[in-house]
Every structure is written in structure tokens, then in C-alpha cells.
Amino acid sequence: MSLNIQEIRALFPVLHQEVNGKPLVYFDNAATTQKPISVIDALSAYYKNDNSNIHRGAHTLADRATRYYENTRKLLQQFLNAREEAEIIFTKGTTEGINLVASTFGRKYINEGDEIIISTLEHHSNIVPWQMLCEEKGAVLKIIPINEAGDLDMQAFKDLVSPKTKLVSIIHVSNALGTINPVEEIIELSHQVGAKVLLDGAQSTSHLEVDVQALDCDFLVFSAHKLYGPTGLGVLYGKRVVLEEMPPYQGGGEMIKEVTFTKTTYNELPFKFEAGTPNIGDVIAFGKALEFINQLGKKQIKAHEDELLAYASDSLSQIKGFIPVGTAREKISVISFNINGMHPFDVGMMLDANGIAVRTGHHCTQPLMQRFGIEGTVRASFSVYNTKSEIDKLVASVSKIAKLKNK
Amino acid sequence: MSIEAIQNEIIDEFSILGDDKESTIFYIMEIGNGLPEMPESDKTDQNIIKGCQSKVWLTAIEKDGKVHFQADSNTDITKGLISLLIRVLSKRTPEEIIQAELSFIDKIGMGSIIGSQRSNGLAAMIKQMKMYALAYQAKLNA
């Protein structure tokens, strides 16, 4: 059954406004999605009714907040099909998840001469932590190249992966181009040489069904705010066997079992990696975002977004001067493009004048932009609440803008 | 024409466009298209204005006690913005440039037209032009 998009739109207060005198068309969903009213209400209700510190409070409010907080962990375990809730660790976001793995797993297991493999498609957050680690340890960073369409060169990956490879940290879905990477094959090949695999799921978890057991990835990181949830919150999934062996990330409250001045023992998973008072309110509100996704169904969400992608790609490619960037075989609902003779900043500003929100620039993927020999792109990214009539507005505006330099 | 008079002229031109953001942006781009070409040899890293997201190159020479600016950018809107600044500040004495209060920017509501990032860039352009004026003032008074 297909989704009723108007009913879904009614759940998102922010969509119902005018920007520069035009109805808002929000196509910056790969940067962050908007929040349904259930998420906003849950955040407010928590602070109105339940606010208290979790896990050790001997009072009713603390007990209630703890139950709600841990309920989101349960929802995430189901959402990812993790074996157990203890494999779900709350972070500040994707970036912190990667840094956590680099600082703990990386520091312990990666040594001089070892190799870490990433790809040309990576977001800066999946490049810089590994560069820092390699510099510290004398390890080597290897890069999987891509072809002109924006697909990974899998033959090159097969040539790169070797017994020297200790970790493959790869973007599941490209934020800049929308490419869906063949991560099943990457994970299998990596495991054959004994390397662990981290998936950057920032863009995949909101669009694709991600089953960590079926994929067999060792780590998966993502951010709540790209899944209709609050900002400042993320998730690190890790296999228990791997997490158990890792040293803690930060020291402090919550992550300890017992502290004396001579020795401290660490808490069990997942608390070992959650030092300090966590982001309780946002975790609770995120539970509502997961329920929202579950109610709609990932398959239905993807079907709608695929339809929008196909419709937009067809219409935009008719425009004289339209240059698509990234035409991978399999994509999520992201269209990156340039207009011949125009800077993406200018295009973005003109679209904004028409109430259309897109992202412009390098999308935190400068090496990828360098690969294409461009400074940046205009990126329109669609979500479940977007419509074909909104795409018609984008196409009309892009058409008008393109005519300025492409007569 | 005085700096004040030119600023008033610009304010009048923009007031015709009213509140329509799209026409205002098209107009800024059109102004940018009229900016004289800068020689490629001047588009060096040294001439790039720091603090702008897009690339803006600015050079200045002194002729008969007045500072002449030339600029270019890789984006049309930025070209339009720098070209407005050149219209107001070029071919002026260093003192005039240093003392100039660019009230037209607020009066035409530039901040809400171009947004905060580009406003920071615009401020960086003005700062760089005033720095050139200070340098030439010191040189002329030496």
C-alpha cells in the first residue's frame, strides 16, 4: 500500500511555512530531516513531566526516565536487528561514533605498517580521524577509487585489501552523490583477511533496511537527526565480542563499576562507553522518530523516495546546461548537480529566493569534489514528506536559472 | 559624485526592485556581469580575500593620490557585491575610503538578501579595501 503523503506532511509543523514569500520546499534532507510532531512533543513532555538523571535514582521520576531512555535502545536493537541491546551505544552523532572507534579500537589494534582502507566517497568525518590515527601510529591509509559515475572501483578494492588491512571504514551511502555501496561484498572480502569493518550509516539508515547481523559489519555509526530525530545524538552499534575487547573511550561517571584511587573497574556494555549523564531527553524523543519510521515502513518510504528520484532525474536532465554529478547504478534519493557556467552558491541562493532549500558546496567531501575536478555541487535530497509537485517547482526554478547562462 | 550621493543612487536602484528577492539577486548578478575583466595574472592566492567562501580577488593601485580597485570572483553574485563596493570606493583618496560609512548595505537590507555567510564575506571585502587605503595613506604621507 502506498503512503498518504499529505497525511505525513501534516505531522511536520516546519513544512507549513513560507520562505521569501513562497511555500517552503525542503530538499536538504541529507543534511538533516525535519521532525514529526511526536518527536517534538516527546522532547517537551520529558522536560515537563519526567526530567531526572537516569540509572541510579531511587525515585519514581528517575525510574520513569530510565525506562523511556532504555526503551529507545530496545527500539534501536530491533531497528538494526542487533543481537542484544548492549550492542547499542549512544553518542553525539556519526562523527563521535567514528572518533570513538578510532580512539579505542584504533589505538589498541592498529600499529605501525598496518593499513586502514576508506574510499574516495568518504565524508571528512570518515577521513580525518583515520588520518590522525595513522599519523600517531605510523599506519597507512589506503583509498578505494571511484569511476566517473560515482561507483566504487571494486577491482581496486580487491587489490588493496590484504592481511595488512586491519580496518575498512566505508560510507554505506554517499552523502554527496547518493551512491549505495556494495557493502555486503566489502564486508565479506574484509573479513576474509581478518579486517574489521565500520559502516558509516549516516545516509543509509534513514533510507535502507540495515540489518547488522545479515550484513555482519563490526561497527555501524549514524546520527539521529537524519532519521527524523533530534540533533546532537547518534548511535554506535558494535559486535559484543569487539566492544568487550575495546578500552573505554572517556572516563567518568556511569562508565565505572567500582572506583578506588588505586584501581577502577569498568561497567558492563553499553555503559562502559557512555561516560557522564547522557542526552536523555533527545534519546527519549528519538524513540518516537523510530516509531514513526516503523509505522510507515522502510520499504514504503524507499518506494516513495525512489519514485521522487526517478521523476526528478528525468525532468532535470531535460534542462539545457544541467550537469548531473554522480550517476551510480544504485542511489538513494539524492541528486547532485551543477549548472553550466554557474557557481553552485549562486544557484543555491536563487533557489532559496524561490523558497527551495538545497545544499551547495563540497558537502564535507573535498577529496571527492577534487576527483571530479569541481568546487562543489548543488544537492537536492528528498525525504518521505516530499512530493512531485515540489519537484516541479525545483525543475521550474532550475530551468529559469539555467537559461541565464545556457540560452 | 560624493560617496554619499553614490550610496543614495544605489539605494534608489534597489528600492525599485521592492521586496522580491529573486529579482534583487538577478539584479546583483547583472551588476556583476558589468565588472571589467581582471587579468588572469592578478588572480593569485596573494590577491584572494580571506574570509570569503567563494573566491574573490582584489587588487589596488594608487594614481594621483587616489586608490583604484579592481576585483573578480568565481561566483556571479559575489562579483555583483564587489562591483557595488568598487562603484562606491574606487578612485577615492585613502582618507575618503577609510572614513566611508557604507550605510547603503543596511539600507537596502543586504543582510537578508545574501544571508549571514555572504554578509561575512562582504564585510571581509570592505575590510580589505580599507586596509589597502590605510597602506596607501601611509605611503603617501611618508
Side-chain angles (χ1 to χ4, degrees):
Chain A
M1 208 186 77
S2 67
L3 300 169
N4 183 332
I5 304 305
Q6 289 312 319
E7 271 178 24
I8 294 170
R9 290 181 69 81
L11 304 174
F12 289 81
V14 80
L15 297 176
H16 308 281
Q17 63 176 299
E18 290 200 339
V19 167
N20 296 316
K22 311 276 166 51
L24 168 66
V25 173
Y26 186 77
F27 284 161
D28 196 15
N29 295 289
T32 195
T33 54
Q34 297 301 343
K35 319 305 170 198
I37 190 69
S38 57
V39 170
I40 301 165
D41 285 348
L43 196 56
S44 158
Y46 165 72
Y47 286 112
K48 278 184 197 155
N49 309 321
D50 311 312
N51 178 50
S52 56
N53 212 329
I54 52 171
H55 291 143
R56 285 166 313 280
H59 57 84
T60 304
L61 290 193
D63 184 54
R64 213 152 63 200
T66 304
R67 271 191 287 119
Y68 295 162
Y69 179 88
E70 289 302 327
N71 179 56
T72 300
R73 204 189 305 272
K74 176 82 194 152
L75 285 169
L76 280 162
Q77 178 255 315
Q78 293 162 349
F79 189 75
L80 302 174
N81 191 31
R83 282 168 205 82
E84 47 177 321
E85 287 162 50
E87 293 179 323
I88 305 295
I89 291 151
F90 290 114
T91 63
K92 282 195 297 190
T94 304
T95 300
E96 192 184 44
I98 296 171
N99 277 280
L100 188 159
V101 175
S103 302
T104 57
F105 174 87
R107 284 236 177 88
K108 183 166 176 183
Y109 293 107
I110 290 166
N111 297 304
E112 198 176 343
D114 288 345
E115 293 177 358
I116 299 171
I117 299 179
I118 60 172
S119 80
T120 307
L121 292 169
E122 303 313 320
H123 187 283
H124 294 162
S125 64
N126 197 27
I127 301 173
V128 185
W130 307 119
Q131 282 177 328
M132 289 161 69
L133 182 70
C134 285
E135 200 167 312
E136 184 186 320
K137 293 287 198 154
V140 183
L141 197 59
K142 299 273 180 178
I143 318 293
I144 313 168
I146 55 166
N147 64 20
E148 209 49 38
D151 277 311
L152 290 181
D153 179 345
M154 285 302 286
Q155 187 51 52
F157 174 65
K158 286 170 192 162
D159 295 340
L160 283 176
V161 73
S162 79
K164 282 186 180 173
T165 313
K166 289 291 173 296
L167 181 74
V168 177
S169 189
I170 195 95
I171 197 161
H172 191 174
V173 167
S174 158
N175 67 308
L177 309 181
T179 311
I180 302 173
N181 286 324
V183 292
E184 295 84 352
E185 194 184 350
I186 291 173
I187 293 165
E188 203 186 323
L189 289 166
S190 305
H191 284 168
Q192 280 172 16
V193 298
K196 298 281 186 269
V197 180
L198 182 150
L199 286 188
D200 169 355
Q203 298 293 335
S204 62
T205 40
S206 54
H207 302 279
L208 310 176
E209 294 200 63
V210 178
D211 178 331
V212 291
Q213 290 193 65
L215 284 171
D216 199 28
C217 55
D218 301 283
F219 303 104
L220 170 77
V221 291
F222 60 98
S223 301
H225 72 92
K226 293 189 203 282
L227 287 103
Y228 315 100
T231 52
L233 176 67
V235 174
L236 162 67
Y237 155 82
K239 281 182 187 165
R240 175 182 275 277
V241 284
V242 184
L243 293 175
E244 291 276 14
E245 295 301 314
M246 280 159 49
Y249 177 45
Q250 292 175 326
E254 190 84 15
M255 55 76 73
I256 53 89
K257 190 175 273 172
E258 194 178 289
V259 177
T260 69
F261 282 118
T262 47
K263 185 173 170 59
T264 291
T265 51
Y266 303 127
N267 205 339
E268 303 293 323
L269 289 174
F271 310 112
K272 176 173 134 186
F273 292 105
E274 292 181 0
T277 297
N279 189 350
I280 305 165
D282 287 325
V283 167
I284 292 172
F286 185 36
K288 296 294 169 189
L290 295 167
E291 283 171 4
F292 167 77
I293 295 172
N294 290 340
Q295 275 159 19
L296 300 183
K298 280 255 186 95
K299 275 204 178 75
Q300 279 84 345
I301 294 175
K302 175 89 169 30
H304 175 66
E305 290 172 346
D306 283 350
E307 202 180 319
L308 294 177
L309 176 69
Y311 184 68
S313 303
D314 285 351
S315 315
L316 288 167
S317 58
Q318 310 296 320
I319 297 170
K320 196 175 171 192
F322 175 83
I323 307 164
V325 181
T327 49
R329 287 187 297 264
E330 283 196 79
K331 278 178 65 174
I332 55 149
S333 48
V334 163
I335 295 187
S336 234
F337 65 93
N338 272 307
I339 292 177
N340 179 42
M342 301 197 73
H343 197 281
F345 290 167
D346 290 351
V347 178
M349 195 164 274
M350 284 186 277
L351 290 174
D352 177 62
N354 282 301
I356 302 169
V358 294
R359 190 135 295 242
T360 60
H362 54 62
H363 315 296
C364 295
T365 58
Q366 284 179 345
L368 176 61
M369 297 296 119
Q370 286 153 16
R371 159 66 178 78
F372 284 107
I374 53 179
E375 264 189 70
T377 71
V378 180
R379 182 188 70 185
S381 50
F382 313 125
S383 185
V384 69
Y385 40 67
N386 290 127
T387 65
K388 284 188 180 172
S389 78
E390 288 182 305
I391 288 172
D392 290 339
K393 287 178 189 168
L394 172 74
V395 173
S397 285
V398 170
S399 227
K400 189 173 168 188
I401 296 163
K403 279 203 183 86
L404 293 172
K405 292 283 169 87
N406 298 277
K407 289 200 171 105
Chain B
M1 215 188 283
S2 70
I3 285 184
E4 201 51 43
I6 291 186
Q7 293 203 77
N8 285 332
E9 212 177 70
I10 294 172
I11 294 163
D12 283 347
E13 287 165 16
F14 274 80
S15 72
I16 297 165
L17 300 161
D19 283 341
D20 189 69
K21 198 166 168 178
E22 192 183 25
S23 346
T24 311
I25 290 172
F26 279 10
Y27 183 61
I28 295 172
M29 288 174 69
E30 210 177 285
I31 297 170
N33 286 331
L35 194 67
E37 287 255 322
M38 185 184 219
E40 285 300 316
S41 57
D42 279 345
K43 293 181 187 172
T44 60
D45 284 351
Q46 208 188 336
N47 289 333
I48 281 185
I49 299 178
K50 290 187 183 69
C52 295
Q53 250 205 336
S54 41
K55 283 194 179 123
V56 192
W57 298 272
L58 177 73
T59 59
I61 51 162
E62 180 265 326
K63 226 189 268 176
D64 305 326
K66 289 183 174 170
V67 184
H68 295 237
F69 291 108
Q70 195 173 19
D72 204 348
S73 170
N74 63 342
T75 96
D76 292 326
I77 291 172
T78 310
K79 260 169 97 166
L81 297 175
I82 192 91
S83 126
L84 284 171
L85 295 178
I86 287 180
R87 188 166 149 201
V88 177
L89 295 177
S90 195
K91 299 177 192 168
R92 304 271 170 197
T93 64
E95 287 73 21
E96 282 179 297
I97 297 166
I98 293 160
Q99 283 159 21
E101 280 183 35
L102 300 179
S103 57
F104 83 95
I105 293 168
D106 280 344
K107 285 191 181 144
I108 62 179
M110 192 61 97
S112 66
I113 299 166
I114 60 174
S116 55
Q117 276 193 333
R118 277 192 143 132
S119 290
N120 291 340
L122 186 63
M125 293 177 213
I126 297 166
K127 192 177 158 198
Q128 190 59 36
M129 292 171 107
K130 293 206 173 203
M131 295 287 273
Y132 269 120
L134 277 168
Y136 281 119
Q137 186 188 43
K139 199 175 151 195
L140 289 167
N141 294 338

